Amino acid sequence: MPQRHSKNNNDLAFFTYDEKRKLGYGTQKERLGKDSIKPFDTCCLCLKPFIDPLCCQKGHVFCKECILECLLAQKKDIKRKLAAHAAQQKQQKDEELERLSLQQAREIDAFDQQNHGAVPQYNDKSHSRDKNGFHGANSVKVTSYEEEALRTMKAFWLPSATPEAPVKVDAPSSDTICPEGKEKLKLKTLFSIYFTEDNNKENKRSKSVDSNYICPSCKVTLTNTLSLVAINTCGHVFCKKCADRFIAKDKFCLVCNKECREKNLVFLEKGGTGFAGHDEHLEATEFKHLGSGSGLGLVRPAMKT
């Protein structure tokens, strides 16, 4: 008696829709959690809680020591590239002078041969000369024949026949760049920022090892969900709502009463992720393909019992 189809539905040569669903075929989406996002109070270089934070005009926050070491390393690299470029320019100039001197020597030899005959005269009687015109192992004619043979020979395994491409060093830029935003960055454009710590007694008792920062205007705890604004003249940090409602209109800092304009407001960048999703799009997607290269082509889902 033949078996029913429901008992023998997993021996097909292709995957059914239900089997693909069980193997995770297609696009998978996952909401990124807190562990996948960089906190706002960490350095963009060392990814640790910042110490003496400095901010650039684009809103990237760094530790003072980290950004100074980064800029110093960039300056050393620029100095090395400038030295390599200068050496290359000098080498090209020397090669051009050597080429001109060789061309001048050829013109002089051609003039001498035209006026004094093509056959050279030898004063040395012991100089050996064969009937083919070869004058020893180091003669110019022998060397030219060898060079021509090496150029036409397709023996790529020989070191002398290996082609070499000249390495051209372009003139490097003398500007240091921001390691996070890839724009030009100078040390004088960095400014210190100051966060207001939460000194509430109730929060002190339940406070963990990490410091809690608040907005000095509305006393709201600062998190990654809030947009933060820093003033590049005094360095105080506020939430975006208070900055738009008070600072942009009154044009002075609410902490130190220092005058500021709307152009002095710098929006701090939110913590990025290791995925393509960041800021408000905190969702990672991955597409799985079932085939011979995925390792899942020969896997069958477990049958329900």
Side-chain angles (χ1 to χ4, degrees), residues 159-280:
S160 57
T162 303
E164 295 182 358
V167 180
K168 184 178 180 181
V169 180
D170 298 331
S173 176
S174 59
D175 299 325
T176 53
I177 61 175
C178 177
E180 188 71 15
K182 303 303 179 182
E183 68 271 358
K184 293 182 181 180
L185 177 64
K186 294 183 179 180
L187 185 60
K188 63 181 181 181
T189 59
L190 295 171
F191 62 94
S192 300
I193 58 176
Y194 305 97
F195 286 87
T196 304
E197 294 188 4
D198 189 4
N199 296 324
N200 193 1
K201 294 182 180 180
E202 296 180 358
N203 293 336
K204 271 189 174 181
R205 295 176 181 176
S206 60
K207 188 175 69 171
S208 59
V209 180
D210 299 334
S211 300
N212 292 328
Y213 300 107
I214 61 174
C215 175
S217 176
C218 60
K219 307 300 180 182
V220 174
T221 303
L222 302 181
T223 59
N224 272 1
T225 58
L226 296 177
S227 297
L228 307 181
V229 178
I231 305 176
N232 59 8
T233 55
C234 60
H236 293 106
V237 180
F238 300 87
C239 65
K240 186 178 182 299
K241 291 183 179 180
C242 295
D244 295 338
R245 186 180 301 176
F246 303 111
I247 301 176
K249 295 182 179 180
D250 299 337
K251 297 184 179 180
F252 67 89
C253 179
L254 301 178
V255 178
C256 59
N257 295 327
K258 190 174 182 179
E259 293 184 359
C260 64
R261 299 180 181 179
E262 190 173 357
K263 66 178 183 180
N264 300 125
L265 301 179
V266 178
F267 291 89
L268 300 184
E269 290 290 336
K270 293 184 179 181
T273 67
F275 302 92
H278 59 86
D279 293 340
E280 297 178 356

Side-chain angles (χ1 to χ4, degrees), residues 11-294:
D11 60 346
L12 301 176
F14 55 89
F15 285 98
T16 61
Y17 176 77
D18 185 57
E19 291 174 345
K20 289 181 179 180
R21 289 288 300 273
K22 292 179 180 178
L23 290 174
Y25 175 79
T27 303
Q28 294 181 346
K29 296 182 180 181
E30 182 179 358
R31 178 76 178 179
L32 300 179
K34 182 179 179 182
D35 296 336
S36 301
I37 306 172
K38 183 182 76 66
F40 73 95
D41 57 345
T42 56
C43 173
C44 293
L45 291 175
C46 64
L47 302 180
K48 296 180 181 180
F50 46 61
I51 302 175
D52 297 332
L54 294 178
C55 182
C56 67
Q57 300 299 327
K58 295 296 183 179
H60 302 111
V61 184
F62 309 94
C63 295
K64 185 176 182 180
E65 183 179 359
C66 295
I67 191 62
L68 292 181
E69 288 181 357
C70 180
L71 294 178
L72 181 60
Q74 290 186 27
K75 289 183 178 179
K76 288 183 179 179
D77 191 29
I78 292 172
K79 186 176 180 181
R80 178 185 60 80
K81 291 181 179 179
L82 288 174
H85 181 68
Q88 183 186 21
Q89 294 291 332
K90 183 180 179 181
Q91 183 181 0
Q92 291 179 355
K93 187 176 181 180
D94 294 342
E95 290 177 355
E96 184 67 19
L97 292 175
E98 184 179 359
R99 187 183 63 82
L100 293 177
S101 62
L102 289 176
Q103 184 178 359
Q104 187 177 5
R106 291 195 199 97
E107 292 177 357
I108 294 175
D109 292 341
F111 178 78
D112 290 341
Q113 290 180 4
Q114 185 178 2
N115 290 275
H116 300 287
V119 180
Q121 303 294 330
Y122 296 96
N123 296 325
D124 190 5
K125 297 181 180 179
S126 63
H127 185 79
S128 61
R129 178 182 178 186
D130 57 0
K131 60 181 180 180
N132 294 327
F134 293 97
H135 310 286
N138 296 327
S139 64
V140 179
K141 195 169 184 179
V142 173
T143 306
S144 63
Y145 270 94
E146 290 178 354
E147 291 179 357
E148 184 66 23
L150 285 176
R151 282 195 297 267
T152 57
M153 185 171 54
K154 298 181 179 180
F156 58 88
W157 57 87
L158 295 178
S160 57
T162 303
E164 295 182 358
V167 180
K168 184 178 180 181
V169 180
D170 298 331
S173 176
S174 59
D175 299 325
T176 53
I177 61 175
C178 177
E180 188 71 15
K182 303 303 179 182
E183 68 271 358
K184 293 182 181 180
L185 177 64
K186 294 183 179 180
L187 185 60
K188 63 181 181 181
T189 59
L190 295 171
F191 62 94
S192 300
I193 58 176
Y194 305 97
F195 286 87
T196 304
E197 294 188 4
D198 189 4
N199 296 324
N200 193 1
K201 294 182 180 180
E202 296 180 358
N203 293 336
K204 271 189 174 181
R205 295 176 181 176
S206 60
K207 188 175 69 171
S208 59
V209 180
D210 299 334
S211 300
N212 292 328
Y213 300 107
I214 61 174
C215 175
S217 176
C218 60
K219 307 300 180 182
V220 174
T221 303
L222 302 181
T223 59
N224 272 1
T225 58
L226 296 177
S227 297
L228 307 181
V229 178
I231 305 176
N232 59 8
T233 55
C234 60
H236 293 106
V237 180
F238 300 87
C239 65
K240 186 178 182 299
K241 291 183 179 180
C242 295
D244 295 338
R245 186 180 301 176
F246 303 111
I247 301 176
K249 295 182 179 180
D250 299 337
K251 297 184 179 180
F252 67 89
C253 179
L254 301 178
V255 178
C256 59
N257 295 327
K258 190 174 182 179
E259 293 184 359
C260 64
R261 299 180 181 179
E262 190 173 357
K263 66 178 183 180
N264 300 125
L265 301 179
V266 178
F267 291 89
L268 300 184
E269 290 290 336
K270 293 184 179 181
T273 67
F275 302 92
H278 59 86
D279 293 340
E280 297 178 356
H281 305 284
L282 301 177
E283 190 176 50
T285 59
E286 183 181 1
F287 181 78
K288 285 188 176 181
H289 175 70
L290 299 181
S292 59
S294 62

